[in-house]
Amino acid sequence: MKRVGIVVMALMLMLLQVGCTSGAVDNGKVELTYWPAANPVEVQFAKEVVKEWNAKHPNIQVKMQPLPASRSTEEVLLTSIAGGTTPDVCSNINPGAIGQFVEAGGLLPIDSIDGAMEEILKRTPKETVEAFKSKDGHLYQVPWKGNPIMILYNKQHFREVGLNPDKPGLDTYSKFLAAARKLTRDTNGDGKPDIWAIAPNVEQTWWQRFFDFYPWYLAATEGKTLLKNGKADFNNPKGLQVMQFFRTLFQQKIAPQSTFKENLFVQGKVSMVITGPWALADIEKQAPKMEVGVMSIPVPDNMAGKLRITYGDPKNIAIFRSTQHPKEAWEFTKFLISKQNDVKFLKMTQQIPFRKDLAEDPSVQQYLGQKPVLDSFVRQAPYTRAIDDSDKITDVFDALSLEYQQAAVMGKKDPRKALSDAERKVNEILQRSR
Amino acid sequence: MKGKRAGYWLVLPYVVFLLVFMAYPVLFSVWLTFHDWNIVSPDIPFVGLENYERLLNDDLFFKALWNTLRFILINIPLQIGLALILAVALNQPLKGRGFFRGAYFLPVVTSGVVISFLWAWMLSTDDGLINGLLQKAGLHPVPWLTSETWAIPSIAWVAAWKNLGYYVVIFLAGLQSIPKQLYEAARIDGATPLQCFFRITIPMLNPAMLLVVILSTINGFQLFTEPYIMTGGGPANSSLSVVMYIYKNAFQSLDMGYAATIGLVLALIILSVSMIQKRLLEKDVTY
């Protein structure tokens, strides 16, 4: 008797170690796993959508599980691919970072699903869809949403230094820098600034360049990305102008060398912040009284008046090849990107779905009428670029980021030399077989 | 015989746990060092000693190792010195002793991420609390986390501040096991308090000291959270630690084989340093 007890206990413990596998079919019922991004508003959106779906589809039940709040979705997905625990559907796919997933055959080609392309093309402009196709001509991601990077500013600060808060006109580098010099101020007379014009990140972390060098470079080059024909393409006069712009900001102490991790903008300690529309919800919550304006990324002086392109920070939906129910997974995805849910998504998260007829929807028009800042982001959204589709893109940004920090932030290297060093390193990285 | 078998059944769960979660990963990562794997790919080609060859020619690895050593050389003396002083102070019959003992231990149980955020704010160059105070006192601000010279010392200070309480507890336990009569005898012989400290306290603390030195060396080699959060390894990789470099290779460059190689070499370095420390420091002191 005793021995049986011990055996049972041991077996139970072993079962616990092995863990349980899910997603099995149970008397005709299908269970899907869906991973949305981990930020609170997106989780709330996912919760509501999944609840509605599950009520309508008793035979296809979706289990929602936010991506662990680690720093990067790619890491989580990679480890889950390695561990064989990928979800059926994930809606936080960064198009620049999936080259490798695709190469390894981890994702389902969306164009292989009956009727999927028609549905997607009805929703999203053809050029946008084309831009997300992989090298083999297949589409492995459902275009979902974008977050154009722009500059938000504190209207009160602009007023205080005599800038027009509604039309500041800081569209070129020299106008921007002149205004920034006024905005960085010592208000309590202790001899050092306590309000700064802007505070770009000073760290070498690769993705921080999505919020300084990269959008500036896209704006200055009218939309050229960093690579061309498998080689670095940024060592040019425009790249140099961008590097020198940021050097000026730090050298003239218009921007602080700050490692402060909280939101300086909502605290009224900086007048401008380079960010996407997701920041609006946060500002509304933390500084409800702040009057916020928005403007496009400035360009070199000789380019004034030209169309401005910026980084679009797109996030798409992918269906993993490991799914046992591709048809049901697509059905759920279709529901996720339906017009009803796109409108809901815009309103809940203030991020912008890739939908052509979004602005024509009367309820959206009314909503955007009350939110002029968000409206500007929606209008900027078509004029965006992603990052290059390369399986070494993080290393490319890493190399560029180090040189940027040396030249622009620290002033330890001539910007010209930094750019050519970055070009050399990036070409070395791209040539490495692996 | 019967009793023996029951014993095997009883240890089985732990043995299974050990095999699955300790032995297998260790053996797998050793196997990985001879292979090239990018996590997503199903094929894992054998590359022989290529990863080791690459390691020997990798300047950034040696830079990360040098950064980590610099960290240890500043962090350990600072940490042990302060912990010893605090332990001796807290061993006196002071008022509110329980409060202070708790207060010094608080950072140990606080998340390293939170502490790194807090110190990144205080040490911020142009808008930080500490530079603000320095300037008020008429001194020059210091680029604590934004210069190649200061990044590692600043991180070493933060890590020492966080772990201090843990080592205070070990030293306190050591102090309390020193027999009182040693001090009484010394006092009768006319020893000053300082002589008592250096001739009795320090030698009698040798086992605790050995433990603290080895533990903080092992901890020091595994430096990750503080530079990851406070500096991102910069500026110019000046605070990139070995473990951060492993992480970068594994999850940024998707080079698992190479990351495993660095991990294995790091483990061997830690093992040999600990052995040397044990040799040098272990003394059997009795009076």
Side-chain angles (χ1 to χ4, degrees):
Chain A
M1 200 53 217
K2 224 187 222 168
R3 218 193 295 167
V4 174
I6 290 166
V7 172
V8 169
M9 222 171 76
L11 279 175
M12 269 169 59
L13 276 168
M14 276 173 73
L15 273 176
L16 272 176
Q17 309 289 4
V18 174
C20 38
T21 40
S22 68
V25 186
D26 212 341
N27 49 34
K29 246 190 186 178
V30 169
E31 194 178 86
L32 298 173
T33 333
Y34 164 48
W35 288 5
N39 66 71
V41 275
E42 273 187 66
V43 171
Q44 188 55 34
F45 168 78
K47 253 186 208 160
E48 289 183 20
V49 170
V50 166
K51 200 175 156 199
E52 193 186 339
W53 169 271
N54 284 346
K56 281 184 187 163
H57 303 83
N59 286 329
I60 311 172
Q61 289 292 298
V62 174
K63 212 173 85 196
M64 189 275 285
Q65 195 187 328
L67 277 156
S70 130
R71 264 206 186 169
S72 113
T73 305
E74 288 74 42
E75 284 157 31
V76 179
L77 286 175
L78 285 168
T79 31
S80 73
I81 289 175
T85 56
T86 39
D88 299 286
V89 180
C90 175
S91 64
N92 203 36
I93 301 285
N94 181 354
I98 67 164
Q100 213 136 19
F101 298 179
V102 173
E103 226 160 87
L107 300 179
L108 195 74
I110 305 290
D111 43 16
S112 72
I113 304 168
D114 265 351
M117 284 315 276
E118 289 76 31
E119 192 68 33
I120 289 168
L121 285 168
K122 245 193 281 167
R123 174 178 177 264
T124 311
K126 195 163 184 277
E127 310 78 69
T128 313
V129 179
E130 286 297 320
F132 287 134
K133 279 193 174 165
S134 292
K135 283 178 207 140
D136 63 1
H138 287 292
L139 183 72
Y140 292 93
Q141 45 191 332
V142 180
W144 189 36
K145 62 160 179 184
N147 287 301
I149 301 302
M150 298 178 82
I151 300 172
L152 294 179
Y153 60 90
N154 186 327
K155 286 190 176 178
Q156 183 56 36
H157 286 185
F158 273 44
R159 228 172 266 133
E160 283 164 14
V161 298
L163 291 165
N164 182 347
D166 298 312
K167 269 199 165 28
L170 312 184
D171 52 348
T172 60
Y173 290 175
S174 53
K175 285 185 197 163
F176 186 94
L177 288 170
R181 273 179 210 112
K182 285 192 218 162
L183 285 162
T184 298
R185 297 170 282 161
D186 171 18
T187 52
N188 57 10
D190 65 353
K192 60 189 185 82
D194 28 53
I195 294 178
W196 299 83
I198 196 162
N201 187 285
V202 297
E203 283 166 22
Q204 65 180 37
T205 313
W206 64 277
W207 51 264
Q208 289 290 359
R209 303 293 84 80
F210 293 171
F211 304 100
D212 37 57
F213 185 90
Y214 194 51
W216 255 255
Y217 183 76
L218 286 174
T221 58
E222 295 176 78
K224 281 195 191 131
T225 51
L226 296 181
L227 310 179
K228 199 176 177 184
N229 303 328
K231 280 196 157 164
D233 190 37
F234 50 77
N235 184 13
N236 54 42
K238 299 285 186 194
L240 185 62
Q241 276 178 306
V242 173
M243 209 61 120
Q244 280 161 342
F245 171 87
F246 283 100
R247 180 65 209 132
T248 310
L249 273 185
F250 285 108
Q251 189 173 29
Q252 301 189 350
K253 292 246 164 224
I254 305 167
Q257 303 249 334
S258 172
T259 45
F260 190 75
K261 309 274 167 186
E262 287 296 307
N263 193 331
L264 287 164
F265 185 71
V266 297
Q267 298 186 352
K269 287 183 184 157
V270 293
S271 305
M272 295 183 271
V273 61
I274 309 155
T275 185
W278 67 80
L280 296 171
D282 217 28
I283 295 169
E284 243 167 62
K285 208 182 290 164
Q286 293 190 48
K289 286 199 187 123
M290 187 184 286
E291 284 177 82
V292 178
V294 61
M295 56 190 178
S296 286
I297 306 295
V299 287
D301 291 1
N302 55 358
M303 288 182 65
K306 285 206 180 157
L307 179 70
R308 246 70 70 72
I309 307 278
T310 187
Y311 175 53
D313 192 23
K315 290 286 153 64
N316 294 337
I317 303 171
I319 300 175
F320 286 84
R321 213 189 267 267
S322 57
T323 183
Q324 286 169 354
H325 315 286
K327 223 180 112 235
E328 287 82 357
W330 163 247
E331 285 302 317
F332 173 69
T333 307
K334 207 162 92 182
F335 180 67
L336 204 60
I337 61 167
S338 63
K339 189 165 182 188
Q340 165 209 343
N341 280 328
D342 276 345
V343 171
K344 187 188 179 100
F345 185 75
L346 174 75
K347 290 184 185 172
M348 272 184 82
T349 65
Q350 318 224 327
Q351 301 181 49
I352 299 144
F354 290 128
R355 174 174 280 280
K356 298 187 263 200
D357 53 357
L358 190 69
E360 292 156 29
D361 182 89
S363 85
V364 170
Q365 274 171 3
Q366 197 197 353
Y367 178 74
L368 289 179
Q370 298 157 352
K371 299 207 176 257
V373 177
L374 184 60
D375 189 42
S376 302
F377 278 109
V378 172
R379 273 185 281 122
Q380 172 82 58
Y383 308 104
T384 53
R385 293 285 183 277
I387 51 179
D388 291 279
D389 176 23
S390 158
D391 57 355
K392 303 211 176 63
I393 196 68
T394 49
D395 286 345
V396 167
F397 266 92
D398 191 64
L400 177 66
S401 189
L402 267 168
E403 297 297 329
Y404 166 88
Q405 191 192 38
Q406 283 292 287
V409 182
M410 316 289 299
K412 288 216 163 157
K413 212 181 218 182
D414 176 57
R416 218 177 289 268
K417 172 109 177 30
L419 269 180
S420 64
D421 284 355
E423 181 188 38
R424 186 173 43 78
K425 280 190 204 161
V426 166
N427 284 337
E428 274 169 23
I429 290 166
L430 293 170
Q431 272 161 21
R432 220 164 49 205
S433 61
R434 237 226 78 68
Chain B
M1 202 53 213
K2 252 187 179 177
K4 239 186 194 170
R5 207 178 296 161
Y8 284 126
W9 279 113
L10 277 169
V11 296
L12 182 68
Y14 187 69
V15 170
V16 170
F17 179 84
L18 205 70
L19 288 177
V20 173
F21 291 101
M22 307 286 281
Y24 172 69
V26 168
L27 292 175
F28 180 65
S29 61
V30 172
W31 178 82
L32 259 187
T33 64
F34 303 105
H35 293 78
D36 182 2
W37 187 37
N38 67 2
I39 312 191
V40 280
S41 173
D43 41 278
I44 309 178
F46 178 76
V47 295
L49 292 172
E50 215 174 81
N51 283 326
Y52 291 91
E53 240 179 272
R54 183 175 154 196
L55 185 80
L56 288 175
N57 297 308
D58 185 353
D59 294 342
L60 196 50
F61 166 72
F62 287 102
K63 181 160 193 179
L65 192 60
W66 171 235
N67 290 339
T68 310
L69 285 174
R70 265 197 319 144
F71 167 82
I72 290 173
L73 288 177
I74 302 172
N75 172 261
I76 294 184
L78 193 66
Q79 193 161 269
I80 292 181
L82 287 174
L84 192 60
I85 293 169
L86 280 174
V88 171
L90 290 175
N91 202 32
Q92 310 301 318
L94 293 169
K95 227 182 171 183
R97 188 162 70 158
F99 168 77
F100 285 111
R101 282 180 180 181
Y104 290 120
F105 199 70
L106 210 56
V108 179
V109 288
T110 309
S111 142
V113 175
V114 173
I115 283 173
S116 302
F117 265 72
L118 186 78
W119 277 98
W121 167 50
M122 294 210 283
L123 293 171
S124 187
T125 304
D126 282 330
D127 55 352
L129 185 71
I130 290 174
N131 276 344
L133 291 175
L134 285 181
Q135 276 168 297
K136 247 180 207 150
L139 297 166
H140 279 294
V142 178
W144 298 111
L145 296 170
T146 52
S147 80
E148 292 173 50
T149 324
W150 282 101
I152 280 286
S154 304
I155 288 169
W157 160 254
V158 174
W161 183 84
K162 173 168 166 48
N163 297 325
L164 199 57
Y166 184 65
Y167 300 113
V168 169
V169 169
I170 297 178
F171 278 135
L172 264 176
L175 284 174
Q176 273 155 11
S177 66
I178 301 177
K180 292 267 182 304
Q181 58 266 35
L182 291 180
Y183 292 101
E184 278 165 23
R187 224 170 297 139
I188 291 166
D189 289 343
T192 63
L194 216 58
Q195 278 174 322
C196 283
F197 180 75
F198 283 109
R199 295 292 168 86
I200 301 174
T201 313
I202 296 280
M204 291 304 284
L205 271 180
N206 186 275
M209 189 65 88
L210 180 70
L211 181 70
V212 166
V213 169
I214 290 180
L215 277 181
S216 51
T217 309
I218 294 173
N219 267 335
F221 272 112
Q222 295 177 4
L223 175 70
F224 177 77
T225 314
E226 288 85 355
Y228 181 66
I229 304 247
M230 300 199 324
T231 62
N237 288 324
S238 62
S239 62
L240 184 81
S241 69
V242 178
V243 178
M244 258 190 98
Y245 189 49
I246 294 176
Y247 170 86
K248 260 180 92 162
N249 273 297
F251 293 104
Q252 192 172 305
S253 311
L254 305 186
D255 212 338
M256 285 292 154
Y258 190 51
T261 311
I262 306 170
L264 188 67
V265 169
L266 179 67
L268 293 176
I269 291 175
I270 294 179
L271 184 69
S272 33
V273 170
S274 308
M275 303 260 271
I276 294 169
Q277 284 176 333
K278 198 161 155 19
R279 252 310 144 70
L280 290 179
L281 289 174
E282 201 168 37
K283 277 177 266 173
D284 198 14
V285 185
T286 38
Y287 287 112

